[in-house]
């Protein structure tokens, strides 16, 4: 009488166990090197590559032992060094930091044994720009007048947030290529290291802004741990 329901229950539990073991969730952090591509109409100005970091909560679903889908949520800082000069020297030298919330989606192919597996993958990401920050020196509002009556502006140090405006593009999107390895510690999950390249497809500025366009690509080196569910 109870054989069929009991058998059905066993199969259901086995399916749930198999399905759950295919999921991993973890924590990841690392270094991010920003490669900036800038087009500007302003003379004597430049934007150089910058440094930052990122923190992620990755999620993985293993379709097969060698194939998985990876996603999650990432907070990343993309940055560049802004320089402006005149004949007498540099008047602006500060780091511009752009903070984004990203949602990556990649397909990974793994190969190796039950202890160490290498992986390669690719995909894309969507993101939203949260806030901007700048730190460094810039031409200030304070004026110094010498004995000859000539006025000079002081160079001032500043650390401040930069309000976002209607001219700023808050949407972000790009492509991802990645590689790395996994080291299975125990049944709890695995430790991993990854190297990824994000190619940005969107500018920080909207199309109607004539001053400049900035496209960011990022090289990321990360460490993380994935817990088995």
């Amino acid at each position: 009488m109870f054989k069929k329901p009991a058998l059905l229950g066993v199969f259901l539990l086995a399916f749930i166990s198999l399905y759950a073991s295919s999921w991993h969730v973890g924590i990841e952090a690392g270094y991010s090197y920003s490669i900036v591509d800038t087009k500007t109409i302003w003379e004597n100005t430049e934007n150089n590559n910058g440094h930052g970091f990122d923190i992620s909560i990755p999620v993985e679903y293993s379709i097969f032992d060698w194939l998985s889908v990876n996603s999650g949520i990432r907070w990343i800082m993309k940055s560049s060094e802004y320089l402006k000069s005149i004949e007498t020297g540099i008047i602006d030298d500060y780091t511009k930091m752009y903070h984004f919330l990203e949602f990556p989606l990649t397909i990974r192919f793994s190969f190796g044994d039950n202890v160490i597996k290498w992986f390669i993958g690719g995909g894309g990401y969507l993101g939203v720009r949260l806030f901007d920050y700048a730190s460094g020196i810039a031409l200030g509002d304070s004026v110094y007048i010498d004995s000859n009556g000539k006025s000079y502006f002081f160079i001032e140090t500043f650390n401040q947030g930069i309000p976002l405006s209607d001219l700023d593009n808050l949407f972000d999107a790009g492509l991802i290529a990645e590689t790395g390895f996994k080291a299975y510690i125990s049944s709890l999950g695995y430790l991993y290291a990854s190297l990824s390249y994000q190619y940005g497809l969107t500018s920080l500025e909207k199309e109607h802004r004539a001053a400049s366009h900035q496209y960011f690509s990022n090289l990321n080196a990360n460490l993380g741990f994935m817990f088995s569910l």
Side-chain angles (χ1 to χ4, degrees), residues 7 11 16 27 29 39 52 73 87-88 96 113 118-119 121 125 150 157 160 162 177 188 190 198 208:
L7 187 61
F11 277 115
I16 293 174
I27 185 71
K39 299 175 182 178
I73 185 170
E87 293 181 358
T88 57
K96 297 187 293 183
D113 54 34
W118 297 88
F119 65 84
Y125 69 89
K150 190 173 182 178
T157 301
Q160 64 184 42
I162 303 176
L188 290 177
Y190 63 84
Q198 294 186 192
H208 62 273

Side-chain angles (χ1 to χ4, degrees), residues 82-211:
Y82 176 80
L83 293 173
K84 182 177 178 63
S85 60
I86 57 176
E87 293 181 358
T88 57
I90 295 175
I91 56 173
D92 291 340
D93 183 0
Y94 55 86
T95 299
K96 297 187 293 183
M97 294 160 278
Y98 309 97
H99 298 265
F100 290 84
L101 195 64
E102 294 181 348
F103 303 90
L105 180 64
T106 61
I107 300 293
R108 286 181 180 176
F109 300 89
S110 302
F111 50 94
D113 54 34
N114 293 329
V115 179
I116 300 293
K117 286 185 183 294
W118 297 88
F119 65 84
I120 57 172
Y125 69 89
L126 298 176
V128 59
R129 186 170 167 189
L130 298 177
F131 62 93
D132 298 347
Y133 198 85
S135 176
I137 59 172
L139 196 65
D141 296 327
S142 301
V143 178
Y144 166 73
I145 301 177
D146 63 15
S147 57
N148 297 320
K150 190 173 182 178
S151 60
Y152 300 89
F153 285 94
F154 283 105
I155 302 296
E156 299 178 350
T157 301
F158 72 98
N159 294 279
Q160 64 184 42
I162 303 176
L164 296 172
S165 72
D166 293 337
L167 298 177
D168 294 313
N169 184 17
L170 304 185
F171 173 75
D172 189 29
L175 303 176
I176 301 174
E178 59 185 359
T179 187
F181 71 91
K182 311 173 184 178
Y184 289 84
I185 305 301
S186 67
S187 59
L188 290 177
Y190 63 84
L191 180 71
Y192 70 96
S194 67
L195 185 66
S196 64
Y197 176 71
Q198 294 186 192
Y199 180 73
L201 297 175
T202 56
S203 171
L204 291 180
E205 322 297 343
K206 291 186 176 178
E207 290 300 322
H208 62 273
R209 188 170 192 168

